[in-house]
Amino acid sequence: MSQKWRMVLTAALVILALVAFWNTFKLWTMSDADKKALDDKEPGGLTRLQQKAIRLGLDLQGGIHVVLRVKTEELDKAAKEGAVDRAISVLRARIDGLGVAEPIIQKQGADRIIVDLPGYTDAARAEELIGQTALLQFKLLETMDNANLILARIDTAVAAYEKSKSGAAATTASSSTTTASKGADTTGSEDVLAQLMKDTAKADTAGKYDFDENAGLDSETEPFTTRLEQFLVTPRTGAQWPGWAVAAKDKAQVARWLDLPQVKAQIPPDVQFAWSTRSEIRQSLEVFDLYLLKRKVQFEGRFLQGISLGRENMGGFAVNFKLSSDGAARFAQLTGSNIDKPLAIVLDDKVESAPTINSKIRNSGQIEMGGSATFDEARNMEIVLKAGALPAPVEIIEKNVVGATLGSDSIKKGFYSSLFGLLVVLAYIAFYYRISGLIADIGLLFNVFFLMAILAALGATLTMPGIAGIILTIGISVDSNILIFERIREEMRTGKTVRASIEAGYHRAWVTIVDSHVTTLITAGALFLLGSGPIKGFAVTLFWGVTISLYTAYVITKAMFDIRKQYETLSI
């Protein structure tokens, strides 16, 4: 290769390397404030920039390590086969959509999955995204008249339960003082239990939950209803629907009441209570919504296609969707026959929203996320719907969060140790081989620069073993230059001219350099093929580092030595 073409090729490679490394340089030089400003200005912009830059592994930037178990016990034999592999595919699609750089998702044993999310520290969001089964359904709400009767029954059961608790407490307190009072309290409890049994029997004998019957409620004993605030009203008709706001402080109490066996007995089997996915702030108060739904599934999420993020009319986040040809006909029939009624969008038994049907919908629609939904929540739902449902429920059996402090410390130690080692090597080579040593130093810097550019272009993940590979590469590159310089020195000692010494030095050293590099490349290839995780990272940096070392030694430093061939003496 002529001197001219060496220069042209190197210049072209430098330009390509600058382009490939630009995003990494931009990301690494951004402050935390700059990153936040970028994400505020362009939602998802920081994630896209991170995907284009060199990614840092879990050991360098922190992140989340999760071990999941796929619950295959309830699956039949056919469904069990490949359930874990299908779960891995779904999890990979979800996590890829989330923009996590270079996640590690691998099977462990018969029913476990390991998930490593480098650089991701939002453990709650990761847990929500990974664990969701993504069962999307559309359900109608119960009528308000029927809902009022169910509430009346629940009020009666809850009031009796609370009264029995108070009676039992009073009995316990009084039993230590007088036997007479104990007897009186026991009688009272028996009355309450008898009333409960009577009520239950009445419900059982009623059997079909006749909503027309009058429950005869006492307005002073409505503990359940008093925790609910009606909010769901059809704007055009003014009709009320069974959607109630519950103060966040009361949610646990209301949930406990709904979980009582005697309360469950008052709820018809064809209806269900369902909480909203998230809380909202209304009139400075944090509330959760509670809906009474018909259990019958009117429409399923499997008919959705073309899912994308969007905005609803009020400016909140929404998920747009289109319908398959089969689903469009069903949805048109459903919406056409239920205009002015709310339709609950239920994801994993929680209500995302319950928008009112204003007209017949045929081919496309929108899932409104509610005014309090964040971009991340809307993005999560888009990802989950796109990725589909898990083949079986999963449980998180181990979760470790590698703190940002540990990750930052690792980065600093790795960076400073690498920089210190590089500077010592550069100084030693320059001191020992003088001007020729400076040429070798330039070759080393090109070596590191080209290697980082290739890692960026490949979208590789840099880990501590990867940094070890870079340091080893620097050592190999130094060895190459030392071999060449010593051969040139030997030739000059024989009395040859500078030109002849350089030519002979490169020629004699080249075979040895190629031999050592090829054996190292074979080792790196074997590590990449047989290793996993950090071992692969080490193999990648070693492979490309050694390859680049060959180029810098034979092309870049050789080009500079060719210029020096016209000198009478050589500083080496």
Side-chain angles (χ1 to χ4, degrees), residues 331-358:
F331 205 62
Q333 183 179 7
L334 169 65
T335 53
S337 58
N338 290 284
I339 291 176
D340 285 336
K341 294 180 181 177
L343 180 64
I345 302 167
V346 185
L347 184 67
D348 291 341
D349 279 336
K350 290 187 176 179
V351 177
E352 281 293 329
S353 63
T356 300
I357 301 171
N358 295 319

Side-chain angles (χ1 to χ4, degrees), residues 17 20 107 109 140 164 192 221 261 346 383 421 430 451:
K107 185 177 179 181
L140 292 171
S164 70
V192 171
T221 55
V346 185
I383 293 168
L451 177 56

